[in-house]
Amino acid sequence: MANVLVTGGAGYIGAHACKALAQAGYTPVVFDNLSTGHRAAVKFGPLVVGDLMERAAIDAALAEYQPIAVMHFAALSQVGESMQDPARYWRENVMGALNLIEAALAAGIDKFIFSSTCATYGDQDGVVLDETTEQRPINAYGGSKLAIEQMLRDFAPKGLNHVIFRYFNVAGADPEAEVGEAHDPETHLVPLILQAVAGTRGALTIFGTDYDTPDGTCIRDYVHVSDLVEAHVAGLEWLIAGKSSEVFCPGTGAGFSVREVVAAAASVTNGPVPMQEGPRRAGDAVRLVCGSDKARTRLGWTPDRSTMPQMLRDAHRWHGSDGF
Ligand code: UFG
């Protein structure tokens, strides 16, 4: 079975990608510094505890496992934190990616899958966001991810073929609850709602109810994590088939407001969601919805678990499990 190096494979999306890779017949080799990831989330292949800031550690992992491709999930990923400490985001995200890209090329690897973000678009309310939309990030997180996209384009002529996925909002958990979402601190809407329902934290605060949307709350495009990682496996197979470097926006095209997610969660959990209304959160875009079907038509991707009730049911099952 061919090995695939999965940086950040102990994290939320990376751990789900490892399961999808294993199911598709690959061996995921996790490279993770465990700063935010969980050792117990690494269930589908070996774990190398290492840091992307150390080129020698990457070289050693590539020499030992000889992967055919790299999936690069590892990153600092909190918008607010990136505004507090932009240097850390620029240093760790960008330098880490540069080390990884150089090491991959030196090891003769020619396939690279990268987790980018709709945060590279900035705030473009009203604009349908797709692969052709101009990127104008408004925070250091989005800026650092855009820099890595550019880096990949610059290295493509050196022989590193790539697929870039610009994520929208990722939710849900493995339907078998082998892995799930466990951030510390938790900042994401769905786990915060489920924890509020379970009473393991206080009421959810809705960040802003005076936006120019039908119910006054922000709108996002949510995709099921299991569907998202299926896109990554399809991206890997796209590169294995010798196809060109591409960018895909794996969204659903459906937008849900914060209040709509809360209402759906109340229905799925059969319980009220303790909540209060609060002020806007700095840096939040009003509406982030993906208008592209390129991933469906070109990659043959079908995000069939990405309905709001299904994402909430799967996340709820995971949150009711023992976790990591
Ligand atoms: N929200 C609340 N209360 C909370 C938490 C979130 O009302 O306690 C709202 C947010 O204001 C936002 C929506 O729920 O309107 C979703 O918020 P999340 O924090 O779950 O997700 P974001 O849309 O802020 O962030 C996601 C990814 C980031 C990525 C960003 C791109 O998690 O990594 O999309 O804008 F950068």
Side-chain angles (χ1 to χ4, degrees), residues 6-300:
V6 182
T7 74
Y12 170 43
I13 302 168
H16 286 80
C18 288
K19 179 165 181 171
L21 283 166
Q23 288 177 326
Y26 302 94
T27 300
V29 176
V30 172
F31 186 93
D32 199 302
N33 66 7
L34 300 180
S35 64
T36 57
H38 306 268
R39 189 180 288 274
V42 182
K43 299 182 169 179
F44 310 101
L47 167 66
V48 177
V49 180
D51 198 304
L52 292 173
M53 297 302 280
E54 291 168 29
R55 168 72 190 271
I58 310 170
D59 288 339
L62 296 178
E64 182 174 357
Y65 290 101
Q66 308 271 316
I68 59 159
V70 171
M71 284 194 186
H72 180 35
F73 295 92
L76 300 171
S77 63
Q78 290 186 36
V79 169
E81 184 185 65
S82 83
M83 300 304 285
Q84 300 297 323
D85 192 355
R88 189 164 168 237
Y89 275 68
W90 281 98
R91 186 180 308 112
E92 295 191 24
N93 285 356
V94 177
M95 293 298 297
L98 180 57
N99 284 336
L100 181 64
I101 288 168
E102 287 196 284
L105 274 169
I109 294 168
D110 62 358
K111 301 174 198 60
F112 196 101
I113 318 269
F114 175 56
S115 304
S116 189
T117 169
C118 63
T120 58
Y121 294 119
D123 198 355
Q124 307 196 26
D125 187 32
V127 175
V128 171
L129 301 170
D130 69 16
E131 293 82 359
T132 65
T133 307
E134 188 191 349
Q135 292 167 288
R136 303 194 302 245
I138 56 169
N139 52 60
Y141 168 62
S144 71
K145 288 281 185 172
L146 179 56
I148 300 165
E149 288 196 18
Q150 186 58 48
M151 209 187 279
L152 285 169
R153 282 187 275 274
D154 290 345
F155 279 92
K158 299 279 180 198
L160 194 64
N161 302 311
H162 61 265
V163 170
I164 293 167
F165 289 105
R166 291 188 195 134
Y167 300 171
F168 285 69
N169 284 60
V170 188
D174 171 36
E176 290 155 359
E178 284 194 273
V179 284
E181 184 169 16
H183 297 109
D184 184 18
E186 188 54 78
T187 61
H188 296 93
L189 180 63
V190 168
L192 289 175
I193 290 173
L194 294 173
Q195 289 167 5
V197 171
T200 52
R201 82 161 63 221
L204 176 83
T205 300
I206 295 188
F207 294 144
T209 54
D210 59 348
Y211 285 101
D212 184 17
T213 59
D215 68 17
T217 65
C218 291
I219 293 175
R220 295 287 182 271
D221 186 326
Y222 293 85
V223 65
H224 194 298
V225 64
S226 295
D227 284 338
L228 179 69
V229 298
E230 287 301 331
H232 287 64
V233 174
L236 172 63
E237 288 172 351
W238 172 278
L239 292 177
I240 288 173
K243 295 183 186 169
S244 59
S245 295
E246 286 290 348
V247 178
F248 294 104
C249 291
T252 68
F256 289 87
S257 72
V258 176
R259 287 194 203 278
E260 286 173 329
V261 178
V262 169
S267 164
V268 162
T269 61
N270 288 318
V273 177
M275 63 169 196
Q276 60 197 19
E277 296 183 0
R280 294 182 176 195
R281 182 174 68 177
D284 268 345
V286 181
R287 185 176 184 278
L288 291 171
V289 178
C290 172
S292 171
D293 60 2
K294 180 178 169 187
R296 295 174 202 248
T297 55
R298 302 281 303 280
L299 271 185

